[in-house]
Amino acid sequence: MQDITKIRNFSIVAHIDHGKSTIADRLLEMCGAVAEREMEEQILDNMELERERGITIKARAVRLQYKAQDGETYELNLIDTPGHVDFNYEVSRSLAACEGALLVVDAAQGIEAQTLANTYLAIDAGLEVLPVINKIDLPAADPDRVAQEIEDVIGIPAVDDAPRVSAKTGLGMEAVPEYIVKNIPAPQGDPNAPLRCLIFDSQYDPYKGVIVYLRVMEGTLRVGDRVRMMQSGAEYDVVECGNLGAKTTINTGELGPGEVGFLTASIKNVRDCEVGDTVTHANAPASEALPGYRKVQSMVFSGVYPADGAKYPDLRDALEKLRLNDASLSFEPESSAALGFGFRCGFLGLLHMEVIQERLEREFDLDLITTAPSVSYMIHYTDGSEKMIQNPLEFPDGTELDYAEEPFVAASIITPPDYTGAIIELCQERRGVFKDMKYLEATRVELHYDLPLGEIIYDFFDALKSRTRGYASLDYEISDFRRSELVKLDVLLNGDIVDALSFIVHKDKAYPRARKICEKLKDNIPRQLFEIPVQAAIGGKIIARETVKAMRKDVLAKCYGGDITRKKKLLEKQKEGKKRMRTFGTVEVPQEAFMAVLKLDED
Amino acid sequence: MAHRITPTARDERPVGIYIHIPFCRRKCSYCDFYSIAEFDDALCDRYAAALVRQIAETAPTIAGKVDSVYFGGGTPTVFGAKRLCAVLGAIHKHFSVEKNAEITTEANPESTDKKTMKALRRAGFNRVSFGVQSSCDLELRAMGRLHDFSAAKAAVEAARAAKFKNVSVDLMYGVAGQTAESWRQSIADILALKPEHISAYGLKVESGTPLSRAVEAGDVLLPDDDTQAEYYETACELLRDAEYVHYEISNWAKPGYESRHNLRYWRLEPYIGFGAAAHSDAFGIRCAAPRDIEKYMTAVECGGEIFEDYDRIPPSERAFEYVMLALRTGDGIDAGTLRRSYRLDPDAAAETIDALAEQGLVARTPHGFRLTERGALLSNTLILKIFDALKPLENRFAKEKL
């Protein structure tokens, strides 16, 4: 068993693009965790999508062996955290497995909303937070200012202490592991106490079943032990346990207190070992589970349908496979008159939704039609009953509806002062409730707003980015449900409601949204043999209308001997194109039209 | 010889002959037909010899009589009357050409004179098709044409003087600079020439042409599809008033002057093409010579493989071709032919046809149905819709018969 005084468990907190993964890469390299020939950029982000988007979606952990200046070899466990607000809970569990965190701040950009949010998570979890100033090689770098900012805003020493590095070039990096060993406390825990391990991630492996990533808080975990997940109640016999290499798991047969590692136990279902759950011994269980567990809750919902109806079973299989690895993805079958059979999927947030959709299309080669994202609404009926709904189609008629509630988030936006006006305007447009505003320093303002989640998932990030030229950063967490004047907006094509296009919207927003959606559909529905009215209605009352004019010309003027084969091919192509369209009554609607409705831009 | 069209069964149906002359003095900006603008007498002679040899070698394999010959291009008239007559002579020599066969050459006004016309007429040409395109000189220049309208008039007069009794004129709408008025004017000016036959084509921007590059770069602004549709309707109306029969989407003729050769294409009748880039469809096979004059000539001269694409068209595709092509014509689809030759059940499409008839896009005929003029404008969509609705008759028969 590892000498507990030589263990250091830490994670890295940073805003997107501030260089978290690059710092991790350098540390791995310095500690010889990966041979140079195996070294690839951002080794911990091993999903193709993660590398492409430059974000971490899944948490990862790796053990580093570091020979410090005092001559001792330390075990540094780096737990990489997802870098997006959608995954706040996962971040908090990863942090709970650590004693310290490196706070990586870009020497040019300084502190961002997300940095702050995650830093507070770390401080709340009682972690030692160690600032590192990265990207000092950039021409615009101003490490002194940023160090001062860290001291002023977060209140931790940085001016004299924070290593100033360039993870990209390696400059100054040798100070970092030493800094970790000296400043992050060693974990504590009694090897003989009842076992308590915190699950901070899991991954499905087709040969071993679920690989559970955990941190032993107390007690000792051994191969052959019968363990119980305290929240789910599931019990398993441990097949393997041990440490985490950069690319492999190392079965050592035993994990003691303070250690970070994995276990496998032929677990079929990730839901049996959710993030935040506590692993204990089945025959000598701990009296209490570790604090902080929360059942994952989907916040954003969307109907996901195969473009080709025959691919429904493929979509189901694909979702099931993704769920093996992602306990936060939920789905249940639903059907739509317009789109046929599909699934109502629940996601942690918008990014999570996009990532899942992209993986379905990419890894499983599916063409999807997705409905506009929506949130959960609490419906109070006139008969006194209440129900949480996720699908706009469940929204009741006027007579049945007493009132509806929608989820709100507490949002924090950090911005240079120049853009506060624009942000206040945006938040107002999005029905935000102003809480407070404070200067973090002369050049940065933090605004707090309560915003309806439904407004955030509707293009809020893009609007914020475009109105602040990318300078503002946003963080939020779900706060509560509040009563709102909500209505269901239906879209009619040629007089028929297309159920898949219905959505719930605030009464005051209904008109502009209705107009915009009609315009978008008009632009994206190809002209057909007859004129098609595109209408939006609330409870049968038409509030917006556009018209797709009848097609006038679709003809090949010349068709002589040499043209016949070509013309045949052209028509075949046209026919293929039609296959990708959905027919609603007599109207053919291409997938792009659905996509366009989802992306109702500001302009 | 496997590389020549070989009849698998003795087919005695009359055939049409197409001769491709791939020479132009200048390429028009919109044109994507195969032609070259750099050539000399030696090349023309060599090409003529290749044509004659291909004709001589192919003729013995063809049983049917020739009832139409069509020289297209390119610009046949820049090839010179002498060579055109020599090639036609070879056709007469090796094939059995019917006495009243329709023998057409395309001609451009700027390369036409009385002497040429007389020579062609004497050699047996009895129909000439002029690429006039417009009566507005500004539009002609914008298209990259080499003639003006006065040259076109002179050319038609020359043909008349040479006793051509069947003259066709091509027009184009949807070209840069065209207006509703200029289009009406072009039609009126053409009608004044009293041609027996008129083709009017909507301009299509073909990829790879200078025009498509210019349009992409924003240097040329073309009338949009709706405007083209209007111009088409104008043509329909004015030519109907002038008592022309609208017998194919883009073709009108005085009664009895419908182009026999072109009707072959729309009736799936056999034709044999000679020359570079020429297509053939005979004995169930469709094939094409390379779009490369050098390759073509070398193949002929060495007795090698001439055709690049051989396509044996399966019966199901023939059925689609029939629907696609018959719907181009004024006669439309014949229900009996659909049943007998293509084993498709016209009754299965009755509901679709009725709905389209209701919308004024299709009209029933005594023996089937056809597209209306409004329907013709939407023919691509309608062809797919109608073919989709036609269900095969019992498969057992379909397999045996075809």
Side-chain angles (χ1 to χ4, degrees), chain B residues 158-179:
Chain B
R160 294 297 185 197
K163 304 244 162 19
F164 274 95
K165 297 208 170 64
N166 189 350
V167 172
S168 177
V169 167
D170 284 359
L171 281 172
M172 212 179 245
Y173 57 92
V175 301
Q178 199 167 38
T179 63

Side-chain angles (χ1 to χ4, degrees), chain B residues 198-213:
Chain B
I198 295 173
S199 303
Y201 301 112
L203 175 70
K204 181 162 184 284
V205 181
E206 301 284 359
S207 62
T209 58
L211 178 66
S212 101
R213 286 188 286 276

Side-chain angles (χ1 to χ4, degrees), chain A residues 417 420 437-446:
Chain A
T420 46
M437 173 171 130
K438 62 173 185 252
Y439 275 79
L440 299 176
E441 54 171 340
T443 57
R444 300 158 74 70
V445 176
E446 186 181 19

Side-chain angles (χ1 to χ4, degrees), chain B residues 81 112-122 158 162:
Chain B
T112 303
D113 54 30
K114 275 184 190 151
K115 212 177 122 202
T116 309
M117 284 290 115
K118 277 193 177 135
L120 294 175
R121 185 71 193 89
R122 212 175 306 126

Side-chain angles (χ1 to χ4, degrees), chain B residues 16-166:
Chain B
I17 286 177
Y18 176 79
I19 310 284
H20 192 69
I21 307 295
F23 304 110
C24 281
R25 216 170 272 164
R26 186 165 92 192
K27 284 228 64 161
C28 302
S29 65
Y30 53 84
C31 176
D32 79 332
F33 283 106
Y34 176 63
S35 76
I36 55 174
E38 271 173 45
F39 55 92
D40 55 17
D41 275 342
L43 187 71
C44 287
D45 287 339
R46 199 179 143 207
Y47 189 70
L51 285 173
V52 169
R53 181 166 169 190
Q54 193 193 0
I55 289 164
E57 288 177 359
T58 308
T61 65
I62 307 296
K65 288 189 169 181
V66 172
D67 77 347
S68 73
V69 179
Y70 194 102
F71 284 69
T75 315
T77 39
V78 304
F79 197 46
K82 224 174 107 190
R83 294 188 190 93
L84 292 176
C85 296
V87 175
L88 182 58
I91 293 170
H92 275 294
K93 182 175 164 196
H94 296 286
F95 282 93
S96 165
V97 180
E98 282 191 10
K99 229 180 141 207
N100 62 348
E102 175 192 280
I103 301 175
T104 308
T105 184
E106 290 179 348
N108 275 359
E110 75 279 0
S111 51
T112 303
D113 54 30
K114 275 184 190 151
K115 212 177 122 202
T116 309
M117 284 290 115
K118 277 193 177 135
L120 294 175
R121 185 71 193 89
R122 212 175 306 126
F125 286 92
N126 53 26
R127 185 172 180 271
V128 59
S129 172
F130 287 110
V132 174
Q133 318 307 357
S134 167
S135 73
C136 170
D137 290 345
L138 275 173
E139 289 169 19
L140 288 169
R141 215 169 304 141
M143 282 183 249
R145 302 293 299 194
L146 288 165
H147 68 273
D148 56 19
F149 186 60
S150 67
K153 275 197 285 195
V156 173
E157 275 160 27
R160 294 297 185 197
K163 304 244 162 19
F164 274 95
K165 297 208 170 64
N166 189 350

Side-chain angles (χ1 to χ4, degrees), chain A residues 527 529-530 549-572 574-575 578 586 588, chain B residues 32 201-202 204 206 225-226 228-229 233 250-251 262 265-266 271 279 286 317 320-321 324 328 359 376-382 384:
Chain A
R527 294 167 65 175
L529 292 177
F530 46 88
K549 284 196 288 177
M551 176 166 60
R552 290 291 312 277
K553 178 178 166 280
D554 178 25
V555 57
L556 204 64
K558 279 189 184 190
C559 189
Y560 299 103
D563 306 314
I564 294 171
T565 306
R566 213 160 54 125
K567 160 123 182 167
K568 218 163 48 173
K569 285 197 181 126
L570 188 120
L571 288 176
E572 270 160 26
Q574 197 162 333
K575 198 171 166 183
K578 284 212 191 301
T586 45
E588 284 165 340
Chain B
D32 79 332
Y201 301 112
K204 181 162 184 284
E206 301 284 359
D225 276 3
D226 284 9
Q228 268 208 16
E233 282 166 357
S250 304
N251 286 282
N262 287 341
Y265 299 128
W266 308 316
Y271 55 90
H279 290 245
R286 188 171 288 128
E317 272 189 48
F320 180 72
E321 288 178 7
M324 168 177 110
R328 294 188 70 85
Q359 290 180 58
L377 269 173
L378 301 169
S379 59
N380 289 350
T381 306
L382 294 177
L384 290 175

